[in-house]
Amino acid sequence: MGIGRFTWQNEELTRPEVAAMLKPKVSARQLQAYLNIARKYLPEFQKFTNEKTGGLNGMSKLYKYHIAPLQEIRSLAREHTLADIESEFQQRALSKSEVGSWK
């Protein structure tokens, strides 16, 4: 638990901890693939892109609020390829940007 305004959502997690929290758990390599998809299309993973290389930033911190979107990607991965999942998230991102442009 947290003190004051800091809650359990702010507890930093290691990548192996997050990989083990996903149901069913995944390897560190698989988690990295999920993070790579998430960083491209989900705003809460924006800091996971390395500004210099454009790739995955290995220094970015994971927190409990990251688990739910990663679990969604994990669940989709049981039925689809990573390319299919990335395409799905790309479509979602496009849909959100189109809705925003109508305002």
Side-chain angles (χ1 to χ4, degrees):
M1 301 304 299
I3 298 174
R5 66 185 176 105
F6 297 104
T7 65
W8 61 270
Q9 291 282 0
N10 294 328
E11 289 179 30
E12 188 178 313
L13 300 168
T14 66
R15 282 166 171 60
E17 287 174 330
V18 172
M21 292 171 137
L22 297 179
K23 304 280 189 254
K25 57 184 166 178
V26 298
S27 67
R29 183 181 301 246
Q30 205 58 35
L31 177 64
Q32 184 169 329
Y34 301 160
L35 287 169
N36 200 41
I37 292 171
R39 77 172 175 85
K40 293 177 185 175
Y41 306 108
L42 300 174
E44 60 266 38
F45 288 89
Q46 200 169 25
K47 291 183 179 181
F48 282 77
T49 300
N50 184 311
E51 292 179 14
K52 291 182 182 178
T53 66
L56 188 63
N57 181 355
M59 301 303 291
S60 295
K61 307 297 184 209
L62 284 164
Y63 299 95
K64 288 209 176 194
Y65 63 85
H66 289 119
I67 294 176
L70 290 170
Q71 183 62 56
E72 180 183 6
I73 294 170
R74 173 66 182 124
S75 296
L76 289 169
R78 297 187 77 194
E79 300 174 10
H80 305 284
T81 67
L82 289 176
D84 291 340
I85 296 167
E86 185 160 359
S87 178
E88 168 71 21
F89 276 87
Q90 186 176 30
Q91 289 299 319
R92 290 182 190 183
L94 287 173
S95 295
K96 285 181 182 178
S97 67
E98 288 173 1
V99 169
S101 67
W102 288 92
K103 292 182 178 181

